[in-house]
Amino acid sequence: MTNNQDAKVPSWEELVNSISTGSSHPEATCWEIYRYLRQNYKTIGSETSRTLLFAYIKLRTDKPSLINSCMMDMAVKISTTYTDFQLPRFLDMCNHTSCLRDEDRQKQKGKDGKLYLSLQERIDRALQSYRLHHPEARNENSNDIISMYAVSLFEKIKAGRTCRFVKMVAANGLSLIADSHQFPCRPYEIIGKVYDVSVTSSKEDNKRIVEIAASTKAPSHVFPIKTGYIDGIDETHGHIHIFDNMSHHYVADRKTITATLPARTTVQKGMFIQFCPIISNGDPFKSAAIVNILDRYKGHESFGSYSAKITYANPAQHYIRYTILSDIPTTPEGTISKEGFASTSTMKPDMEKEMTVGKNIQLILFLKRGINGQKSNHVAEIY
């Protein structure tokens, strides 16, 4: 027998015979296992591949060697073929960190002159991929696996052809761009969902998405939940405009509704909703994932209202002037004015008939940018 990597590949019968007497020639048998797996691992199935790896573990020596390096490389390849192969367990049984050679930690130059990942880097990537697809294998130190929300799908022309990309945002504001081909679903099914994403960083700490897997998490498991008011729906662009009680403006893509709400749910202007703010660091545009629709009572209670008094009423022109009686909090978007005007179209018809000076009312109010570009009081509802 020979330990040459390119020696003859044994038949199954020859390999079984070699393993049965392997204690007499352990290294030679390890090479036979390697050569057989290298040629057949994609077709012999997971169980047989794992059986041969276990036979190798029983015969191997616990020291750096070419055969140990080759078998660890083979295990990485098997892990990408069979999802039930427990790569971390195999590497632990091999005590792999003590069996890597110095050259296994160095990038390798190919015949084309390009540098390729070292064996150590390929093992690390394979372990990362395993944790991505096996959440139970993660721990608090698995910071290279991030849950991210698919905000939007957009197209770019590259080399004369149309390519689709997806903007991904994490709870900490990290924003990355992924190729639509990386997702485990069709392009039109991508946005509005949370995905588990494996990320690698360059020396300059520039992050890049390596692999993407479907997540069992809903947006509300990853992002905080806020109460919002739907102030308008842009049917042309499919944008749902949402304000919170601090006057922040968010936009939800109508295409994401089916991913976060029950089937056949309809959203309309004037609804109170619960949503997850999806905010990318340094981006003034704030996205939202609508996760629930509230009834009017819960909406009023959760969003909060201002107590006010009517100081002037003009039934003919359908507007009133009001003075806010509640304390007015400071908002990041500007200052809410104590006094202002409001259209009576925002109240129920029977209530409009009773609009008189001195009457106490409740206002759903936030700051909104007007056609002059300035933010001012916007009364969305009077009750």
Side-chain angles (χ1 to χ4, degrees):
M1 297 183 185
T2 177
N3 65 355
N4 191 305
Q5 296 180 67
D6 298 320
K8 175 180 173 292
V9 176
S11 66
W12 176 252
E13 291 74 17
E14 290 171 334
L15 181 61
V16 170
N17 290 335
S18 180
I19 292 173
S20 65
T21 59
S23 58
S24 302
H25 37 76
E27 185 173 352
T29 300
C30 286
W31 277 113
E32 297 237 317
I33 293 172
Y34 169 73
R35 290 193 292 270
Y36 187 87
L37 280 172
R38 183 179 60 181
Q39 179 169 293
N40 300 294
Y41 76 94
K42 290 184 178 180
T43 58
I44 59 177
S46 174
E47 185 176 357
T48 301
S49 296
R50 287 183 280 121
T51 299
L52 293 177
L53 288 175
F54 182 69
Y56 151 75
I57 287 174
K58 292 175 65 177
L59 295 168
R60 64 184 290 280
T61 56
D62 193 9
K63 65 179 182 180
S65 66
L66 179 59
I67 180 57
N68 283 340
S69 299
C70 288
M71 287 301 292
M72 282 188 279
D73 180 62
M74 179 54 60
V76 168
K77 293 175 180 176
I78 290 173
S79 73
T80 64
T81 304
Y82 303 110
T83 57
D84 60 347
F85 174 50
Q86 298 180 30
L87 179 64
R89 182 168 177 260
F90 171 82
L91 293 174
D92 286 344
M93 294 174 70
C94 287
N95 192 20
H96 85 283
T97 54
S98 65
C99 290
L100 289 172
R101 303 168 300 156
D102 289 340
E103 52 264 50
D104 295 330
R105 297 181 172 89
Q106 306 299 321
K107 290 188 181 295
Q108 301 298 306
K109 181 177 287 189
K111 294 180 180 179
D112 55 5
K114 295 180 180 179
L115 287 178
Y116 292 90
L117 295 177
S118 67
L119 176 59
Q120 176 69 75
E121 289 171 321
R122 283 185 281 117
I123 289 173
D124 291 343
R125 290 281 180 90
L127 286 171
Q128 183 185 37
S129 180
Y130 184 89
R131 292 194 301 272
L132 176 67
H133 295 283
H134 298 82
E136 71 281 359
R138 301 176 202 165
N139 55 42
E140 63 276 7
N141 297 319
S142 299
N143 53 11
D144 55 355
I145 307 294
I146 306 172
S147 294
M148 305 187 80
Y149 180 81
V151 174
S152 59
L153 177 74
F154 59 95
E155 296 182 346
K156 280 188 176 182
I157 304 297
K158 295 185 69 176
R161 66 186 188 90
T162 302
C163 300
R164 296 185 180 91
F165 298 93
V166 181
K167 179 183 178 181
M168 307 288 290
V169 177
N172 65 359
L174 173 67
S175 178
L176 297 172
I177 302 299
D179 191 306
S180 65
H181 291 101
Q182 293 179 278
F183 289 82
C185 54
R186 297 175 181 176
Y188 66 85
E189 299 172 322
I190 292 174
I191 64 171
K193 300 175 184 176
V194 173
Y195 297 87
D196 292 333
V197 176
S198 64
V199 175
T200 185
S201 300
S202 67
K203 292 180 179 178
E204 296 77 21
D205 200 33
N206 295 319
K207 292 181 169 51
R208 178 177 65 86
I209 292 176
V210 179
E211 191 178 357
I212 298 173
S215 177
T216 58
K217 299 174 184 175
S220 56
H221 297 151
V222 180
F223 299 87
I225 299 177
K226 303 185 74 172
T227 297
Y229 177 87
I230 297 180
D231 188 59
I233 299 177
D234 181 347
E235 299 291 352
T236 302
H237 299 96
H239 291 167
I240 302 169
H241 294 276
I242 302 164
F243 284 84
D244 66 14
N245 58 8
M246 285 286 102
S247 301
H248 292 122
H249 177 210
Y250 302 84
V251 177
D253 192 321
R254 196 162 199 165
K255 295 175 185 175
T256 65
I257 297 300
T258 56
T260 55
L261 291 175
R264 294 184 293 279
T265 299
T266 301
V267 295
Q268 298 175 347
K269 179 180 178 180
M271 280 183 167
F272 290 96
I273 49 106
Q274 288 182 316
F275 71 98
C276 294
I278 316 292
I279 304 173
S280 173
N281 292 334
D283 189 346
F285 186 86
K286 300 177 177 66
S287 298
I290 299 174
V291 297
N292 189 27
I293 295 175
L294 300 174
D295 63 35
R296 306 303 297 176
Y297 175 77
K298 288 183 180 179
H300 288 156
E301 184 179 45
S302 181
F303 191 88
S305 61
Y306 290 90
S307 297
K309 180 174 67 175
I310 297 175
T311 57
Y312 175 80
N314 189 329
Q317 298 295 320
H318 304 287
Y319 74 89
I320 61 168
R321 185 175 66 212
Y322 60 85
T323 295
I324 295 176
L325 305 176
S326 306
D327 292 335
I328 300 176
T330 301
T331 79
E333 302 298 312
T335 302
I336 291 174
S337 301
K338 187 177 181 65
E339 296 183 340
F341 293 88
S343 169
T344 56
S345 64
T346 61
M347 63 180 69
K348 293 180 179 179
D350 58 340
M351 185 178 178
E352 184 178 6
K353 298 175 183 178
E354 301 175 359
M355 287 292 97
T356 57
V357 173
K359 184 178 181 64
N360 289 332
I361 53 176
Q362 297 293 122
L363 305 178
I364 299 297
L365 181 150
F366 44 84
L367 293 172
K368 183 178 177 181
R369 196 180 303 279
I371 56 175
N372 61 357
Q374 301 297 315
K375 290 186 177 181
S376 59
N377 287 17
H378 174 72
V379 176
E381 186 176 334
I382 303 173
Y383 67 99

